[in-house]
Amino acid sequence: MPQTPLAVVVLAAGQGTRMKSSTPKVLHRLAGLPLIAHVLESARALEPAHLVVVVRHERDTVAASVLEVAPHAQLVDQDDVPGTGRAVEQAVEALPADFAGDVVVVSADVPFVDHGTLAALIAQHREEEAEATLLSAVVPDPAGYGRVIRRRGDLVDRIVEQKDATDAEREVTEINSGTYVFRVAALRQHLPFVTPANAQNEKYLTDVIGLVTVNGGTVAARTVEEAWRVEGINDRVQLAAAARRLNDRIVRHWQLEGVSIVDPATTWIDRDVSLARDVEILPGTQLRGATVIETGAVVGPDTTLVDTEVGAGATVKRTDATLAIIGAGATVGPWSYLRPGTDLGERGKIGAFVETKNAVIGEGSKVPHLSYIGDTEIGVESNIGAGSITANYDGVEKHRTVIGSHVRMGSHNVYVAPVRIGDGAHSGAGAVVRKDVPAGALVLSVAPQRTIGGWVEAKRPGSAAAKAAAASQEAEAQGTE
Ligand code: UD1
Ligand code: CA
């Protein structure tokens, strides 16, 4: 028997009013990914013949995000008839006229329905030869959800929305998850008869369930055990709760993979992060985007890494880094700011109160204290003195500083780019390096020190400073007698 063809419809046209946001609801992020990306991932895993996404509110922004995750998705624009029923009606119209299979409907704001749950729902739908099969859950607080109303023999009768429910119906704790499988024929038959005669003046998809049963068809239901999987996200309270729940799972996953996470409550890990065994994460750490941490590295406390690579055995303490590479055995922090393009070599060091950007710092090279290093290349085993600045911007353009290997630069140097420092060069404290320095040279740019003895006595007689100086001179004279 040939497999029944499958289409998946993702509903993403709604306004998301309760979010009170200028960002479309389905693009709010959960563990680093937009809500809709989570749903699209589960949908794609079913390998449907058609993947249709219904859009309307902030259409172009949502569409761009959809195509990033699912380039082959078919976008359907909902017209100005509101409601999930209208959205599905238009999605079905967009399918080939001869499509005769099953249609899975999922909501872009219900992010935790995974591939396994959908596959089980489809299997049950086919086994029971139902016209429609819905995914439900029994929850302690059903407020806001549609309720599943069952009749004699526990068969599903219909779904009633919270806003249209009687007091007795509101007592029902079995909720509709907004996830279904329909035979396409049932949708084609019943959707034209769904009307917006309800509290929200919308065409409800949920009305199809009642129409199927009234016409003698079978509606099946699958109740998920893990009720949290079907939680819908409508406001920021639910978004934060969902983020917490997903984070707990991600943290637990990495713990079981051999990562030490000292304080799960203050550790936030995005879904696409990758951690090796024996990594240690200290409290207050956020690992975002595609951050990768190799074995034995210690990260935190109070560190945020975005799309950053940390090599084996490195230490990264109280640091903020984005699009940076930290080599094996390197040390970073405390209080370091690594901006995009920072590439610290093995055993290198970026120390306290150092900001780096577009800076390739070679193996074993160190920028230990209070510096800004930008648009710079440093060779291996070099040392940059405390309080040094690469002056990379002349007010119009950015320029590069190129520093060789094994250099020993003094404290409080300014490198006025473009400038090059040769291998093995040294510099004195406070040097302002404006011209290229050849290999092995010593560069000094500060005028020799002048000390004018007795100046205070002559120019500030009677001042506290003059008295202190006189007392000190007297004490010294007595001491030498
Ligand atoms: C819906 C269900 C409700 C269920 C709940 C589960 C209906 C009528 N109600 O309610 O029974 O308990 O989901 O989370 O279906 N959308 C469109 N076009 C529209 C309106 C909505 O595409 O015209 C999309 C939204 O973007 C969203 C999804 O459909 O992704 C659900 O819409 P929403 O308004 O959040 O429905 P709920 O009130 O949560
Ligand atoms: Ca919803």
Side-chain angles (χ1 to χ4, degrees), residues 196-215:
N198 52 53
Q200 303 186 85
N201 295 310
E202 290 181 4
K203 280 186 89 163
Y204 292 161
L205 175 61
T206 46
D207 283 357
V208 170
I209 301 296
L211 288 171
V212 169
T213 56
V214 159
N215 286 279

Side-chain angles (χ1 to χ4, degrees), residues 18 25 109-110 232-234:
R18 290 164 277 181
K25 171 169 76 173
D109 65 345
V110 184
I233 294 177
N234 299 303

Side-chain angles (χ1 to χ4, degrees), residues 6 10 56 85 176 277 393:
L6 189 69
V10 179
R56 176 177 165 88
N176 167 34
R277 278 189 184 196
Y393 189 48

